Amino acid sequence: MVVAIINHMVVNKTIDLDDIFHALANSTRRNILAHLVEKDMTVNELAERYDMTLQGVSKHIRVLVKSGLVSQSKRGRTKKCRVNYRQLDRVSELILKYRKFWEARLDSLEEYFENPKEEN
């Protein structure tokens, strides 16, 4: 008898922030996102903007799709790409959380230097 062990974390995987940051770590993918913020585009329209093969651009788009930053709809042989702003909101929320943390620390440091306490 064969017993299959399924990792539910993998099967039911939600998009992880690691995937999003991996996608955003590449300047070409960030540039693709910038184009898609302006308007939805086909894979071919995006590929025309880069000095690389259609296959190369498609690989970048696959990473963006895997991260949830981009969604695709297919009509015939044409794939249209669109930004998924929900995932960008997740990144923005995380950055805002860290920004608040560091602003509070820097405010404390500023207060320390402006009002030093005398040492005995």
Side-chain angles (χ1 to χ4, degrees), residues 18-58:
D18 290 344
D19 293 331
I20 296 170
F21 281 111
H22 169 73
L24 293 173
N26 181 278
S27 62
T28 300
R29 291 191 286 267
R30 289 191 307 272
N31 194 270
I32 289 170
L33 272 179
H35 289 302
L36 292 175
V37 165
E38 294 174 14
K39 67 176 187 168
D40 297 349
M41 301 175 81
T42 66
V43 173
N44 287 332
E45 289 172 331
L46 286 166
E48 290 172 2
R49 298 174 179 267
Y50 298 94
D51 187 26
M52 65 176 72
T53 64
L54 177 61
Q55 183 181 11
V57 173
S58 293

Side-chain angles (χ1 to χ4, degrees), residues 55-111:
Q55 183 181 11
V57 173
S58 293
K59 285 182 181 181
H60 284 294
I61 293 170
R62 277 195 298 276
V63 172
L64 290 166
V65 169
K66 180 183 178 224
S67 73
L69 290 167
V70 170
S71 61
Q72 288 183 317
S73 57
K74 190 172 181 181
R75 182 174 222 163
R77 293 177 53 170
T78 304
K79 287 185 179 180
K80 194 101 172 190
C81 300
R82 158 180 292 132
V83 174
N84 179 357
Y85 291 97
R86 185 178 308 146
Q87 297 301 352
L88 288 174
D89 287 342
R90 290 180 65 201
V91 172
S92 180
E93 288 169 9
L94 180 66
I95 291 170
L96 181 60
K97 177 181 170 182
Y98 284 112
R99 180 178 179 184
K100 288 179 182 178
F101 170 81
W102 282 110
E103 284 178 348
R105 297 298 185 265
L106 292 173
D107 288 346
S108 295
L109 186 61
E110 181 180 26
E111 176 70 24

